[in-house]
Structure formats: structure tokens, C-alpha cells
């Protein structure tokens, strides 16, 4: 009866994993031979592991990855891609997040930029950093709606608090002035406080023109470019094959 009461109390306190582990111990004669401290340790380990796993699942779900299955160890280093494997492996430690550095990933459509960015993001989530993945056009639309609804500052505060922000389709098109100002707000809010990964089809030298207004462009690039690691996926070779072609996927 006492054992049943203990199980019920554990479940009432939302410690269902501990309750299950305790029940299993009662049914396992080998475990019953362990010391009290060892048995308690096993029960606590089960609860701790479950909570860590649940937290990880929440972080990955909230991140909104376009490729939640992406993994650094599955990045393909084909010769024609000319990827710097040593740099990618070094960045996969996520020290760049602790040091508030950014990553710029450059490459043509279908070259695998998004996969690499998602792989870094999933790795960061597994280290229990908060991560968010977003297409830049979608994020700019979200900010426009927030401004109209009076929640702009709240949304911007949330963006500032995310440890790793992944912006895909960065500067896919020329920005309007309000959009450029939104990017300046993001860049300023996260400068030396959090890390961002930028995935772009356009070389960094073209970003100034894409942003538009000179003063705003200078301010944004000053907060991004000089504090970033750069990964360039080679796509200008005659025999270069895109990752979409390798995977048998249709072009965008």
C-alpha cells in the first residue's frame, strides 16, 4: 500500500518518469539488491534524462527548422563544393554562439545552404541554446504586422533574446525602406549580444545595393560582416552539381 501511495504522489507532482522507474525497481529483484543511494540515483537519472529530452524536443519544435533532421555529420563534402570542413567542424562546437559571432553562408539556389544552416541550428539546440529559423521575407512580413498591431517592440525583444537566429533567403530581393529599418533594428538588437546565421545567394559585396538606403546599409553591414565567419559553397565550376540535382529534387 505504501508503494502505491508513493507512486500516486509522484504522478500527482508530475514526476511520472520517476514513478515508472520506481515501479520497475519494485518488480526487478536484481535492482532490489542495490543500495538505497544507488536506487535513488537511478530513479533521479531517469527523471533528469526525460526532462532534458523533453526540453530538447521543445527547443527543436519552437525553432521552426525547415529541416529538423539536418545534422553536421551528414554534410556532404564533394570536391566541387569546396567546403572548408575544418571550419565547419570548428563551428559545430557552437563556440561562435558563446562569443556572439555570426555565420554567413553563400551559395546558389539548391547548393545546400539551408541544410548547413539547419544543421548548425539543430546542433545548437542540442546544446540547449534557443534557436529560431526564419525566411527573411516571412520575418519582415511578421514585423510589418506587429507594427500595425502595436506589438513591434515585444516581437523585437523576443528576437533579441534568441541565442541563435537563422535567416534564410537573406536579401533575396531589394528591400523597401521600412524593411531596411527593420533589419537595422534586428542587427542593432543582436549586435554583440547574440549570433545570427545568414544564408544568401548574393555575394556580400552585393548586399549594400540590396538593402538600399546608404546610411542604413552601412550600419547593418557594419554590425554583420566584420564579425562573421564565412562559408562559401562553390557553384561556379563547369562541372559543379547542385545538392538538389544530387538528391534528385526539382529546382526551385
Amino acid at each position: 500500500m505504501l508503494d502505491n501511495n508513493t507512486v500516486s504522489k509522484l504522478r500527482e507532482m508530475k514526476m511520472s518518469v520517476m514513478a515508472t522507474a520506481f515501479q520497475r525497481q519494485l518488480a526487478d529483484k536484481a535492482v532490489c539488491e542495490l543500495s538505497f543511494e544507488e536506487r535513488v540515483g537511478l530513479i533521479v537519472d531517469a527523471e533528469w534524462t526525460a526532462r532534458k529530452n523533453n526540453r530538447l524536443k521543445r527547443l527543436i519544435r519552437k525553432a521552426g527548422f525547415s529541416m529538423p533532421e539536418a545534422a553536421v555529420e551528414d554534410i556532404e563534402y564533394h570536391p566541387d563544393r569546396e567546403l572548408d570542413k575544418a571550419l565547419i567542424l570548428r563551428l559545430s562546437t557552437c563556440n561562435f554562439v558563446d562569443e556572439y559571432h555570426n555565420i554567413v553562408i553563400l551559395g546558389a539556389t539548391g547548393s545546400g545552404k539551408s541544410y548547413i544552416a539547419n544543421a548548425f541550428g539543430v546542433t545548437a539546440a542540442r546544446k540547449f541554446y534557443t534557436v529560431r529559423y526564419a525566411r527573411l521575407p516571412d520575418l519582415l512580413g511578421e514585423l510589418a504586422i506587429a507594427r500595425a498591431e502595436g506589438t513591434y517592440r515585444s516581437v523585437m525583444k523576443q528576437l533579441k533574446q534568441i541565442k541563435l537566429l537563422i535567416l534564410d533567403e537573406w536579401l533575396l530581393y531589394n528591400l523597401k525602406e521600412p524593411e531596411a529599418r527593420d533589419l537595422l533594428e534586428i542587427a542593432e538588437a543582436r549586435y554583440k549580444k547574440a549570433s545570427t546565421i545568414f544564408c544568401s545567394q548574393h555575394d556580400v559585396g552585393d548586399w549594400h545595393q540590396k538593402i538600399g538606403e546608404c546610411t542604413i546599409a552601412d550600419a547593418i553591414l557594419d554590425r554583420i560582416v566584420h564579425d562573421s565567419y564565412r562559408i562559401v559553397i562553390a557553384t561556379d565550376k563547369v562541372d559543379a552539381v547542385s545538392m538538389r540535382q544530387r538528391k534528385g529534387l526539382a529546382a526551385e
Side-chain angles (χ1 to χ4, degrees), residues 13 61 85 87 94 97 111 160 177 182 200 210 212-213 242:
M13 292 187 291
R61 184 177 65 252
K85 186 174 183 178
L87 174 60
C94 290
V97 179
S111 61
K160 178 180 178 179
E177 185 173 334
D182 284 340
S200 181
K210 286 283 183 182
E213 206 282 324
S242 75

Side-chain angles (χ1 to χ4, degrees), residues 186-217:
I186 293 172
E188 175 60 31
R190 298 181 60 77
Y191 184 59
K192 297 295 186 183
K193 300 182 183 73
S195 298
T196 308
I197 297 178
F198 304 89
C199 299
S200 181
Q201 299 178 26
H202 304 286
D203 290 336
V204 174
D206 298 329
W207 289 6
H208 199 283
Q209 182 180 354
K210 286 283 183 182
I211 294 171
E213 206 282 324
C214 251
T215 306
I216 296 177

Side-chain angles (χ1 to χ4, degrees), residues 187-252:
E188 175 60 31
R190 298 181 60 77
Y191 184 59
K192 297 295 186 183
K193 300 182 183 73
S195 298
T196 308
I197 297 178
F198 304 89
C199 299
S200 181
Q201 299 178 26
H202 304 286
D203 290 336
V204 174
D206 298 329
W207 289 6
H208 199 283
Q209 182 180 354
K210 286 283 183 182
I211 294 171
E213 206 282 324
C214 251
T215 306
I216 296 177
D218 286 342
I220 292 173
L221 296 181
D222 181 62
R223 289 161 175 76
I224 295 174
V225 177
H226 307 300
D227 203 26
S228 299
Y229 294 98
R230 197 171 302 187
I231 297 173
V232 180
I233 306 173
T235 52
D236 57 354
K237 289 188 174 182
V238 176
D239 59 347
V241 180
S242 75
M243 291 306 295
R244 287 185 180 275
Q245 289 173 297
R246 284 193 168 97
K247 301 299 181 183
L249 301 174
E252 289 181 351

